[in-house]
Amino acid sequence: MLLLAISGLAILGLVFLAAIWAGSESDAAALDRQRHLVNDRLEDLVKRVSQEIQMIGAGYASFLAADPAVLEEKIIGPNRGSGASSAETFGKIATTAFGYNAAFLVTSSGELALNADAETARRFKWVRPLLQPLIHDLETDQPQPSTSAAKPSRVQLMRLEGRPSVAGVVSIKGASPAGAHEHGQGAQFYLVVFRFLDGATLDTISREQGLAGARYARTADQEHNEVAFQIAATGSGEPIGFIIWEPDLPGSRVIGRLVPVLSIAGLIIAGLFFALMGRLRKSLRELSASEHHARHLSVHDVLTGLPNRALFAVHLVQCLPDLAPLRRRAVIALIDLDKFKEVNDSYGHAAGDELLRAAVGRMSALIKPGDTLSRFGGDEFALLLPDLDEADNVYLAICNGIIDELSKPFQLNTGDAAVRIGCSIGIVVIQDASHPTNELLRRADVALYEAKSSGRGRLVEYDPCLDHRVEARENLKNDLRLLLEQTGEDPGLQVRPSAAHVGRLEVYYQGVYHGDGSGRLSGAEALVRWHHPTLGLLSPDKFIPIAEESGMILRLGEWVLRDAAQSAASWPAALSLSVNVSPSQIRHRGFESHVLSILSEAGLRPSRLELELTEAALFDIDERGQATLGVLRSHGIRIALDDFGTGFSSLSHLIQFNIDRIKIDRSFVSLLGTKAEGAAIVSAILGLSRTLGKATTAEGIETEGQKDFLVAAGCSDLQGYLLSRPVPLSEFRKKIDGVQVAEDRATMNVAAQTVSA
């Protein structure tokens, strides 16, 4: 194997050397060809100048022969005739049409033959000493007159005005005017032109010859990857400048592409030899690393890299035995992120993952190296502080610091948005190892639930009395389950004798009034109440969350809708019915069929029903839920957005879910008359609703001032304790009857007035 490796490397070395030699020869040939092309291009430029000045000189000669007075005007002065203007105009052709930088008509003595402006005279004065030798050579070597059309001329490369140039001189015969003695018949003139080789001319050469990055320099100051071509003066052979460019070297390109291939081939041959020797050791290392990685994944979270529940339990068990002997204590803190689901649903799982990593970074910055921060799953974390002094309350400062840090905005690159979440924390303090780990985690979970149910964004330390609350909550859940089982689909308010110990459900109705100031009733919102035998009258906030968590909300919501629909069917046709629904109901397969079936059985027109959803509920509605809402709206049922502006708001929901009504939350209405911001917020919501063509209902009206402002602002409907409290059906029927009687009396009065008239 060693001999084969050496032979292969030797062959590759020979190939590599041959490639370098061939590439060098190719580069030399390419560079020589480019130099010849540049030299040929300059020679072509000299020939072209020689041909062009012949044509320009012939034009001048025709003007001078046609109007001999042109020369006399130089002597006369500023009274210039048409001949001089024509001659000067023709002279400008050399600088515009032919691209020369300057053109002069000169006498044999080296003076300008025509009047010129100060700038032209100054320029000619500077270049005259350099151009005069060309005129002198042309006079000395001028051939005998002949019939040939070609005029004597000279073209040379030289430096003019500090720049490389090609200059040309052509002889012109002119006729002298009668009576003039300075110039006899057949006076001799010379047309002198020059063009700079840098600038536009160099750009043309670079473009035609493919010279990459061509530039002019007075000295050969090329970089290591550039070449310089010397421009020599025609007369003296002295360098007048250099054309510098980056040459096209095909050989180097080939070598550049071939070297990596050859290098890789050599490395492969060498690697094969060493690979055979190290294969066994490498396999052992890979096996060990794989085992270590698998062991790491088994006790760590993949997304955040934190310890998982299993490793957290190990650390907890390890710290418990030393607490009592050392008079130390430990703390478990369960941390649950608030509003994480809304962010995850709004901006996607990638944004949710980014948010989790950012939250972990903030929490990790607040704990010590010996503490354990673990992810239990989803948006739930656990913190173990294993070594605290008995009188040390630093854990409270750490947990409050976590709450403060997580309540600050998070800038998400994935969703390109800034979001706020927050967290709730449940704490249990451990004094000894008398309780198993499962019991300790249960206590922390009880404290966490208390923190979440009491308003979120806070921490609660475990107390034995919390167990009584949990027990009471479990009892209430069991009572609700038993109540729904016994109630069944019977919407009546009578309770069966066997269900007396769990109470009964009843639907209350809160009136909704027109916002035109007339005080007319426009409808009612159905609100369920639970008459509990020991706890009294329970409002929905006491048992609706329990129904949501335990999956009983579907049956409860269906019962409320059926009872309310049967009651509203006997109301006047102008009154509408509003019923709250949850995301679980919307997502449930066949929900739209159940709603339409209930309305059909009750005899209530779908156009009189309005389903209310909260802003938070919209984030839990998937495509199936959107389709369900679309079916309901197609049958005339209206959709209202409750608590507008208090949730994780998005104006796109007003369009995406085809919202028919916006309900202004009571928290904004309560600001009216107390804070200036209240009027601005309410007015903005009303203006937005009018622009989008949405109806509005203001909730929580408790003062006349609030009502008057909302009426003046154009709110569609009003609702609140000032107008009507939630009351049982029997009392609400009295309100309906009163409204009906008032309307009948108003109708009879109008009819009587009509008859009298």
Side-chain angles (χ1 to χ4, degrees), residues 585-615:
Q585 294 175 267
I586 299 296
R587 290 195 303 267
H588 184 65
R589 184 183 298 273
F591 174 73
E592 64 274 23
S593 301
H594 286 299
V595 172
L596 296 174
S597 176
I598 290 173
L599 295 180
S600 177
E601 293 173 4
L604 183 68
R605 294 199 315 273
S607 59
R608 295 179 58 191
L609 177 63
E610 189 171 83
L611 299 180
E612 296 186 9
L613 300 93
T614 62
E615 281 189 324

Side-chain angles (χ1 to χ4, degrees), residues 54-114:
Q54 290 287 340
M55 292 187 292
I56 301 173
Y60 264 110
S62 64
F63 274 108
L64 297 178
D67 191 359
V70 171
L71 301 175
E72 184 180 17
E73 292 171 4
K74 173 176 175 63
I75 302 174
I76 294 174
N79 298 320
R80 309 178 63 77
S82 60
S85 299
S86 299
E88 292 176 356
T89 301
F90 188 83
K92 293 180 181 179
I93 295 176
T95 59
T96 56
F98 290 92
Y100 289 102
N101 295 94
F104 309 101
L105 185 63
V106 183
T107 65
S108 59
S109 60
E111 300 291 336
L112 289 174
L114 296 175

Side-chain angles (χ1 to χ4, degrees), residues 317-329 386-387 431-433:
V317 170
Q318 290 175 349
C319 77
L320 292 179
D322 297 331
L323 295 179
L326 299 178
R327 295 180 177 273
R328 310 293 288 177
R329 60 180 179 170
D387 187 22
Q431 304 283 354
D432 50 43

